[in-house]
Amino acid sequence: MLVLLILHLVAALAAAPLVRWWGPRACYLLALAPAAAFGWALARTPAVADGAAVVETYPWIRQLGIEVALRVTTLSWLMTLLVGGVGALVLVYSGRYFAPGALGLARFVAVLVAFAGAMLGLVLADDLLLLYVCWELTTIFSYLLIGHSTERRSSRWAAAQALTVTTLGGLAMLVGFVMLGTRTGTYRWSELATAALPGGAYLATAVSLVLVGALAKSAVLPFTSWLPVAMAAPTPVSAYLHAAAMVKAGVYLIGLLAPVLATAGPWRPVVTLAGLATMVVGGWAALRQTDLKLLLAYGTVSQLGLLVVVVGAGTPDAALAGTAMLLAHALFKAALFLVVGIVDHGAGTRDLRELSGLGRREPLLTAVAVLAAASMAGLPPLVGFVAKEAVLAAFLDRPVVLAALVAGTALTVAYSARFVWGAFGGRPGVAPTDIGRIGVPLLAPPALLAGAGLVAGPAAGVLDHVLRPYAGMFGPVAKDLALWHGLSPALGLSAVAVAGGAALFALRGPLAPVLARLHVPVSGNQGYEWITRRFDRLAVEVTAVTQRGSLPQYLGTILVALVLVPGGALLTARPWQEPITWWDNPLQVVVVTVIAVAAVLAVGARRRLTAMLLVGVTGYGSALLFVLYGAPDLALTQFLVETATIAIFVLVLRRLPQRFSARPLRRSRWVRRAIGLAVGLVAAGLALAAGGARTAPTISDAFPGLAVAEGYGRNVVNVTLVDIRAWDTMGELAVLVVAATGVASLVFQRSRTGPRPRRPEAARRPGRPERPVWLRGGPTLTERRRVIVLEVVTRLLFHTVVLFSLFLLVSGHNAPGGGFAGGLVAGLALVVRYLAGGRYELAEAAPVGAGTVLGVGLAVSVGTGVVALLTGAPVLTSTKIDLSLPLVGDLYVVTSIFFDVGVYLVVVGLALDILRSFGAEVDRHIEAAGRADGGLAVDRTGERT
């Protein structure tokens, strides 16, 4: 099973390049991934029919006891067949449905295959947390698929609505899962049956939250609004997600948990009331539609309500009928959506008022549609009839529910007839519709689905044998699936429903005014829009009250809260017990005094540059404290970070006034100083409390030994970053990349991956002696911005500094340094190069995009972890490689050096991104504004002026 999920992942990753090479025909090859899932499930039919379970378990997060637990029983086997089989047919259909060169086709196909893999993972998952992960993956992928046509507002709105509704439902479901898992001690749904469930309000709350997620996913009231608007998606999406896959996820979850939770307090009332209301409202709405796709959408809503009622009933006969209806619905509804796609593809419209005569022009397509619609209406000998009769028979002992089911079935018959008549019937005064030649890849998928519904009806006995083990989980099964049970109450009710539906269709003319007037006062979509508008309005009002545009006010509020809440707790509890050692060395007192004086002077400084330099003094003082405490690696990093920070501040201050605003009054200045002093005291108190609260031995005591034994290095700090706590470093790298992207986006940066534009060589003027050029970008600066001494020093020292950064990178495993420190040194070298020669000199020094450097660095670090995983070791495990080189001797290389290389590149890329955003781009804008005194202005003639 895990192989099938990996196959889908590989196919999704390969889809985009394959589609770019082969066009839509690549869909035929990619269809093999879901087809493999279908074939695998088909091969497990004998085992499933005997009630056996196919189980695979793989370790995932050992510390939390979470595993990739996969399990296939009857219900998940049936869903695997549907997800794989319908998915493969939809991909084959897509190969002809989309034209070569269609906009966004490569992305669409890749996401569709990824969705198939996520849906497969959802139905195979035995662990509820793994199920939730796949659940949300289907939500994300469906958002991308529904919003495929990004140029259309309706697509974007529909995608956002589906994402919002299903995500909120999923979060509620997750809370329910956590409540069940923490009380029962297991997240395996297969173990919940034997676990001791909690009782009372706790269980009722957990069950209610799970049902919220399931009903939202399956578009059951009150969450129906997202499904009809999702018809903005391309037809293959509707046929797969909204007929056979995504909307079935909620029904599947209800069926999965029903054997355990069906007797819980709110379960049956919720699924029964919500399902019946959805069935009737959806069916009535379908009769009012003139768009064939919307007609099927509301019909889907109606039948999802039916499925929720039947699958959630928690009785053996209803469970058997529910699985049969689950299969039948997927077959006929996917086929009908594909038929609508053919009509829309050829005729350019889905409006039944504009279609006429297709029944005579396209007999094969008509036959396919009639078979599928007949199964939807529950007519013999199709599988829809078998499932419908089983449903009615399962509820003979519940007359109220049975009456609602018969009414809903009558509506189903009516809109089934309306679909066939609207798509293929003739209309006076409407020109015959011509849809052109229908290719085999378009017609074959719906034909196979409709044909399967025709074959499955007479084969009801086989279905009964395969599906019965699931129904047996609820108790002894009294009824069976069959095409003919003789004259029975269920058959009579079925006939009543067919007659009622036929009457509704026959009276469609006189009933048209009634249908137009009789509808819900506020539709689900209108309700959703009203709620979102109210939230938007509330956000605006809250923002108007709390966000006054004053940064000091925001910081003051946060800091005062910090002083009052944690500070008050410190004063009340006084958690420090150990005596405080104020200093170990008199030099520490001197350094701390300098830091305190610099901080106080920074608060009172009037010039921004002065304040920045004083703040820098506090940073350098902190580095000196690290030196005095015997931490040279930390001191080196602090020195470098502080220097880089000052350089960035200098770049930013060019666009700010030299002096601070004079607005704060003397009284408010003292208030701010008091807040700052209080925050410092609280921070110190928290540090003391944290140090004195330790009760267990610190894990860092083992780091020196681990650094040598497993990290093969003596620099504990660097080995911790690249080996012992490499996962933390990986997260920090991702944060750095995101920060760089944010900087580039906010500070009007342009392309971040291509090479930088270079200054063309200036023409030499006759009669002028050629002057030595120390930096190629130097002559591009105006005369008063050039510093020849700085150019000379930069030319002499730049390469030495870069070599020193590489030395720090290589030696950092056993001495102070490492990739982070080395990257900072290289970044500072680029800063000096920019300050000496301007933006064109920066382009000469680094003729590569910052985004490329960042991406390569992150890829190298991640790739190091992947390589370790492929060798069978845990991710980011270090390996020692012994080498013997001529003239050098014996030496060894630790693989974590490659991870450190990635760190080095990410830091260099970040420095380059900041220089080009706060440096080169600011220069460009200063020049555009005509202010040559604010930056490194360029002499556009190429000559010194």
Side-chain angles (χ1 to χ4, degrees):
M1 288 182 278
L2 183 62
V3 173
L4 293 174
L5 298 178
I6 295 174
L7 177 61
H8 280 78
L9 174 61
V10 172
L13 294 176
L18 286 177
V19 172
R20 292 190 183 99
W21 292 339
W22 297 341
R25 292 176 298 174
C27 295
Y28 303 145
L29 177 63
L30 296 170
L32 294 177
F38 176 82
W40 180 89
L42 203 61
R44 301 301 183 277
T45 302
V48 172
D50 292 337
V54 183
V55 180
E56 291 182 12
T57 304
Y58 304 92
W60 185 12
I61 307 176
R62 297 179 186 273
Q63 292 83 350
L64 299 179
I66 299 177
E67 300 174 321
V68 177
L70 307 175
R71 181 184 180 90
V72 169
T73 55
T74 305
L75 186 61
S76 51
W77 167 83
L78 176 60
M79 286 297 297
T80 302
L81 285 176
L82 297 179
V83 170
V86 177
L89 292 176
V90 167
L91 280 169
V92 171
Y93 180 91
S94 300
R96 184 61 183 270
Y97 181 84
F98 292 101
L103 183 64
L105 180 60
R107 181 186 70 251
F108 173 85
V109 175
V111 175
L112 185 61
V113 175
F115 173 86
M119 192 67 202
L120 181 63
L122 189 155
V123 300
L124 295 179
D126 185 28
D127 189 285
L128 293 180
L129 296 180
L130 176 61
L131 185 148
Y132 172 75
V133 171
C134 296
W135 185 282
E136 292 304 329
L137 284 176
T138 61
T139 296
I140 295 170
F141 292 138
S142 69
Y143 167 77
L144 297 174
L145 291 170
I146 295 170
H148 170 67
S149 302
T150 55
E151 71 281 1
R152 292 163 48 193
R153 184 181 180 277
S154 59
S155 294
R156 299 194 301 271
W157 173 264
Q161 185 171 343
L163 179 70
T164 302
V165 174
T166 55
T167 299
L168 291 177
L171 290 174
M173 181 188 73
L174 175 62
V175 175
F177 284 169
V178 172
M179 293 178 68
L180 289 174
T182 52
R183 282 297 181 92
T184 59
T186 180
Y187 287 97
R188 297 276 193 93
W189 66 261
S190 58
E191 297 175 359
L192 286 176
T194 58
L197 293 176
Y202 186 93
L203 180 61
T205 303
V207 168
S208 299
L209 291 171
V210 172
L211 287 178
V212 166
L215 298 181
K217 197 76 165 182
S218 289
V220 175
L221 282 173
F223 308 106
T224 57
S225 63
W226 70 265
L227 182 54
V229 297
M231 294 302 107
T235 295
V237 174
S238 301
Y240 192 32
L241 276 67
H242 306 141
M246 178 178 169
V247 293
K248 292 293 198 311
V251 176
Y252 168 75
L253 181 62
I254 291 175
L256 190 71
L257 299 178
V260 181
L261 301 178
T263 57
W267 181 281
R268 284 193 174 115
V270 170
V271 297
T272 301
L273 293 176
L276 290 177
T278 303
M279 183 182 184
V280 174
V281 171
W284 186 261
L287 292 177
R288 304 175 60 245
Q289 306 305 315
T290 57
D291 185 310
L292 292 175
K293 203 172 178 184
L294 278 179
L295 188 155
L296 292 179
Y298 281 102
T300 300
V301 169
S302 174
Q303 287 168 327
L304 287 171
L306 168 65
L307 285 169
V308 165
V309 172
V310 180
V311 173
T315 63
D317 293 333
L320 183 61
T323 51
M325 182 58 73
L326 193 68
L327 171 65
H329 179 263
L331 294 177
F332 63 67
K333 192 55 65 71
L336 289 174
F337 270 118
L338 294 178
V339 167
V340 171
I342 295 174
V343 173
D344 188 20
H345 190 269
T349 181
R350 303 189 303 255
D351 193 326
L352 58 81
R353 295 167 298 185
E354 300 175 6
L355 297 172
S356 178
L358 274 179
R360 294 183 178 180
R361 286 175 172 267
E362 301 294 340
L364 290 178
L365 182 64
T366 304
V368 170
V370 168
L371 278 177
S375 184
M376 182 165 64
L379 300 180
L382 294 128
V383 69
F385 169 77
V386 174
K388 179 188 68 174
E389 193 174 57
V391 168
L392 295 175
F395 288 89
L396 290 175
D397 58 339
R398 300 174 65 182
V400 176
V401 176
L402 185 63
L405 291 176
V406 172
T409 304
L411 293 172
T412 303
V413 173
Y415 64 69
S416 299
R418 179 177 175 81
F419 174 86
V420 175
W421 166 79
F424 300 98
R427 266 166 207 79
V430 179
T433 304
D434 182 15
I435 61 174
R437 180 177 175 273
I438 304 175
V440 173
L442 279 180
L443 186 59
L448 287 174
L449 292 169
L454 178 61
V455 172
V462 177
L463 285 179
D464 180 86
H465 174 67
V466 177
L467 301 178
R468 186 169 286 265
Y470 171 71
M473 298 173 66
F474 298 87
V477 184
K479 299 178 176 61
D480 56 359
L481 297 176
L483 186 60
W484 175 251
H485 288 97
L487 299 177
S488 62
L491 180 64
L493 292 172
S494 180
V496 169
V498 172
L504 282 174
F505 174 71
L507 296 173
R508 61 186 180 278
L511 286 177
V514 179
L515 289 171
R517 289 193 300 268
L518 189 59
H519 59 85
V520 180
V522 178
S523 68
N525 195 40
Q526 291 173 329
Y528 173 82
E529 291 180 0
W530 183 86
I531 292 173
T532 54
R533 283 198 299 268
R534 295 281 75 77
F535 270 110
D536 290 342
R537 182 61 186 171
L538 178 63
V540 170
E541 293 175 354
V542 171
T543 302
V545 173
T546 60
Q547 304 292 308
R548 310 299 297 179
S550 172
L551 182 59
Q553 179 182 342
Y554 303 155
L555 292 175
T557 302
I558 295 171
L559 296 177
V560 167
L562 174 66
V563 171
L564 293 178
V565 181
L570 283 174
L571 291 176
T572 303
R574 297 184 180 181
W576 49 83
Q577 302 294 333
E578 300 293 331
I580 300 173
T581 301
W582 294 102
W583 63 79
D584 298 317
N585 187 325
L587 289 177
Q588 295 172 354
V589 179
V590 176
V591 174
V592 169
T593 302
V594 172
I595 293 175
V597 171
V600 172
L601 292 176
V603 172
R606 294 290 177 265
R607 289 178 175 271
R608 284 186 165 87
L609 183 60
T610 304
M612 182 268 296
L613 293 176
L614 289 169
V615 171
V617 170
T618 65
Y620 287 121
S622 300
L624 285 175
L625 287 178
F626 290 142
V627 172
L628 294 175
Y629 274 105
D633 210 319
L634 295 179
L636 174 63
T637 303
Q638 179 65 27
F639 275 119
L640 294 172
V641 168
E642 200 62 43
T643 305
T645 303
I646 290 175
I648 295 170
F649 269 119
V650 169
L651 296 176
V652 173
L653 290 180
R654 297 179 299 164
R655 296 305 301 269
L656 297 175
Q658 293 183 0
R659 294 179 177 271
F660 288 107
S661 171
R663 286 182 59 195
L665 302 177
R666 184 178 301 274
R667 183 181 303 172
S668 65
R669 292 197 194 107
W670 283 106
V671 170
R672 296 180 186 190
R673 290 168 183 168
I675 292 174
L677 180 61
V679 170
L681 293 174
V682 169
L686 290 174
L688 288 173
R694 182 180 299 279
T695 57
T698 173
I699 61 172
S700 61
D701 289 342
F703 281 12
L706 288 173
V708 175
E710 298 187 11
Y712 311 103
R714 294 187 298 275
N715 183 353
V716 179
V717 174
N718 184 259
V719 175
T720 299
L721 292 176
V722 300
D723 187 291
I724 301 174
R725 301 295 295 271
W727 270 115
D728 293 349
T729 307
M730 183 76 73
E732 292 163 2
L733 289 180
V735 171
L736 281 177
V737 173
V738 172
T741 303
V743 168
S745 301
L746 293 174
V747 191
F748 39 75
Q749 173 66 285
R750 293 176 290 183
S751 172
R752 302 173 63 238
T753 56
R756 299 294 99 186
R758 298 192 182 184
R759 176 78 173 175
E761 295 291 340
R764 180 183 168 190
R765 295 186 183 182
R768 281 197 179 186
E770 185 174 354
R771 300 179 181 180
V773 177
W774 292 97
L775 297 177
R776 295 187 63 183
T780 66
L781 298 179
T782 59
E783 181 69 22
R784 63 198 196 102
R785 290 298 177 188
R786 292 190 67 183
V787 182
I788 299 300
V789 174
L790 181 58
E791 292 184 23
V792 174
V793 172
T794 301
R795 174 70 176 271
L796 295 176
L797 295 183
F798 175 77
H799 299 90
T800 304
V801 175
V802 172
L803 286 175
F804 177 64
S805 75
L806 295 175
F807 169 78
L808 290 176
L809 166 65
V810 175
S811 65
H813 215 60
N814 293 290
F820 188 76
L824 285 173
V825 170
L828 289 173
L830 292 174
V831 170
V832 174
R833 193 82 177 260
Y834 162 75
L835 293 175
R839 66 176 182 269
Y840 289 109
E841 184 60 31
L842 179 64
E844 294 291 339
V848 63
T852 302
V853 180
L854 287 166
V856 171
L858 190 60
V860 169
S861 296
V862 173
T864 304
V866 173
V867 169
L869 188 65
L870 294 177
T871 60
V875 179
L876 297 172
T877 300
S878 295
T879 302
K880 180 182 177 183
I881 303 174
D882 294 306
L883 300 173
S884 180
L885 300 178
L887 305 178
V888 176
D890 296 332
L891 55 95
Y892 67 89
V893 175
V894 183
T895 55
S896 58
I897 184 65
F898 301 107
F899 182 85
D900 225 6
V901 169
V903 175
Y904 178 92
L905 292 174
V906 168
V907 175
V908 172
L910 177 63
L912 191 58
D913 219 356
I914 291 174
L915 281 174
R916 286 183 175 149
S917 299
F918 291 135
E921 288 297 325
V922 169
D923 290 341
R924 198 189 315 276
H925 280 249
I926 289 174
E927 292 172 15
R931 291 176 53 219
D933 59 340
L936 297 177
V938 171
D939 173 18
R940 298 188 177 279
T941 66
E943 291 290 330
R944 294 179 295 172
T945 56

